[in-house]
Amino acid sequence: MTGSTASMRNPSHDGSASVPGAQRDDSSTSERRAADAEMARVLGTEPLRMALDSSGTGIAQWRHDPLHDVVEPMSHHVVMAYDGVTQRMERRSGKSVAIGTFRRGVVIIIPEGSSSRWDIPKPVDVVQLYLPDATLKRVADEAKTAGPADLLERTAHPDLITSRLLLSAADAVEGNNALDALFRHQLTDLLATRLLAAHTGAPTTLRPTMGGLSPKVLLRAIERLRSDSDADVSLDALASDAGLSRFHFCRAFKESTGLSPHAWLRQHRLDQAMNMLRDSDEPIVGIAAALGYASQTAFAAAFRRSIGETPSDWRRRMR
């Protein structure tokens, strides 16, 4: 993953919905540790992948040893999707205890400012979303909801939709700054809408999409997506140019094209790659650089995921 800051760095049943009486920290957000820093401290290791924006919004994949420690209050909401071996675990918040079973398809939510002790007996593989409350409120406002209620604490809570969305982040990055940032921003907003709909004290019903982009606005957006500048194809720039919020731009763009902005750009870059491979003698390393990939290896892996063969093999077959 890449980003503005990147580092390759109820006891009687399972899936407790919330933890009543959870400990909340009353200190200001500025006094709390950022989510990525607190996770590094408590997990005692480096993430397999991490992509962060300047606000601390980001996605990280961790594999860590058994955990028996307290997670201190953080300045972000943390949402986790579990992808490891099935195991029982325990989470203590104040005098409340939640016992659940970690398995694929469950999620864990640590609201900002909360603190709890975790006892997990086996190694863990998770993908985490770090979400500022300001982002949750922005999405709620853009979606014209009544406003976000507090996120509930969740411990091994079944939610296949959120789990699949978050786990997809670990597999969808391509080593391309523009593509990866656009994917991450879309995913963050999509997950925020899911949290509002399923994981607050007052679940929200989002209004359906009302129409797509006008032909003029759609053409301008496509021109931006075809730009070689990463700044031009950012989700903020695309939405601002269209005079829409990020939330409504993504929905309207998909209504017009059948694809999300990220999927459209990914297909466009793939088409460019195939044209360059077929019609030129440019070395593959040069094609990778021209299309914004961090390395030839990253480009080759992304190409193979889409086409089913390496760029070299595809080029030979097409000539």
Side-chain angles (χ1 to χ4, degrees):
M1 294 182 186
T2 56
S4 57
T5 302
S7 176
M8 295 310 273
R9 105 157 195 89
N10 169 343
S12 61
H13 64 282
D14 295 346
S16 168
S18 62
V19 183
Q23 289 184 316
R24 294 300 179 104
D25 175 57
D26 293 328
S27 62
S28 67
T29 301
S30 62
E31 295 173 343
R32 301 170 188 162
R33 187 178 281 112
D36 63 301
E38 175 59 9
M39 285 296 150
R41 181 199 69 80
V42 76
L43 301 180
T45 188
E46 293 290 321
L48 294 179
R49 313 179 198 183
M50 178 180 287
L52 299 176
D53 294 333
S54 58
S55 66
T57 304
I59 296 170
Q61 181 182 12
W62 300 83
R63 286 180 187 152
H64 62 85
D65 292 334
L67 178 63
H68 302 279
D69 204 346
V70 174
V71 175
E72 299 292 346
M74 293 176 283
S75 57
H76 303 78
H77 304 298
V78 177
V79 184
M80 305 183 219
Y82 187 72
D83 196 30
V85 296
T86 299
Q87 61 174 309
R88 300 279 285 180
M89 52 73 59
E90 181 178 291
R91 175 183 186 176
R92 292 179 177 270
S93 299
K95 295 181 179 180
S96 299
V97 179
I99 298 174
T101 299
F102 278 176
R103 58 168 63 91
R104 193 176 178 94
V106 304
V107 298
I108 302 94
I109 298 178
I110 307 175
E112 69 163 4
S114 69
S115 178
S116 51
R117 176 182 172 85
W118 296 78
D119 288 287
I120 308 174
K122 299 177 184 178
V124 174
D125 190 338
V126 292
V127 178
Q128 300 178 342
L129 169 72
Y130 307 143
L131 182 68
D133 194 56
T135 300
L136 193 64
K137 290 178 178 176
R138 172 184 60 77
V139 171
D141 182 62
E142 291 175 358
K144 301 189 184 303
T145 70
D150 290 340
L151 281 184
L152 299 174
E153 287 201 347
R154 300 292 203 190
T155 305
H157 183 83
D159 182 349
L160 196 56
I161 294 174
T162 301
S163 176
R164 283 177 173 170
L165 283 172
L166 194 45
L167 290 177
S168 71
D171 298 325
V173 294
E174 302 195 14
N176 183 297
N177 282 341
L179 278 169
D180 292 349
L182 192 55
F183 172 77
R184 192 171 66 254
H185 295 159
Q186 282 184 199
L187 183 65
T188 297
D189 284 11
L190 185 59
L191 283 166
T193 64
R194 175 63 184 171
L195 293 173
L196 290 167
H199 298 289
T200 66
T204 299
T205 300
L206 302 179
R207 297 182 180 182
T209 303
M210 299 297 290
L213 299 172
S214 71
K216 183 178 180 179
V217 172
L218 178 60
L219 179 60
R220 192 160 60 239
I222 288 175
E223 288 174 349
R224 268 195 176 275
L225 286 167
R226 285 175 172 159
S227 169
D228 293 330
S229 168
D230 288 357
D232 283 348
V233 300
S234 74
L235 188 53
D236 285 330
L238 287 161
S240 176
D241 202 34
L244 296 170
S245 69
R246 283 171 35 165
F247 178 89
H248 286 293
F249 173 78
C250 286
R251 290 188 164 213
F253 186 91
K254 187 168 185 178
E255 182 77 9
S256 296
T257 67
L259 298 171
S260 69
H262 169 262
W264 193 99
L265 180 59
R266 188 170 182 270
Q267 184 59 51
H268 173 62
R269 294 284 170 93
L270 180 62
D271 290 343
Q272 286 181 299
M274 290 190 292
N275 288 336
M276 295 173 76
L277 287 166
R278 183 182 56 242
D279 301 334
S280 78
D281 294 320
E282 178 76 18
I284 292 175
V285 64
I287 294 174
L291 295 178
Y293 286 89
S295 67
Q296 180 178 341
T297 300
F299 167 63
F303 190 91
R304 185 166 189 168
R305 279 197 298 271
S306 296
I307 303 300
E309 56 188 329
T310 67
S312 298
D313 289 344
W314 189 88
R315 171 180 261 175
R316 282 193 293 269
R317 189 168 60 81
M318 289 295 107
R319 291 187 166 185

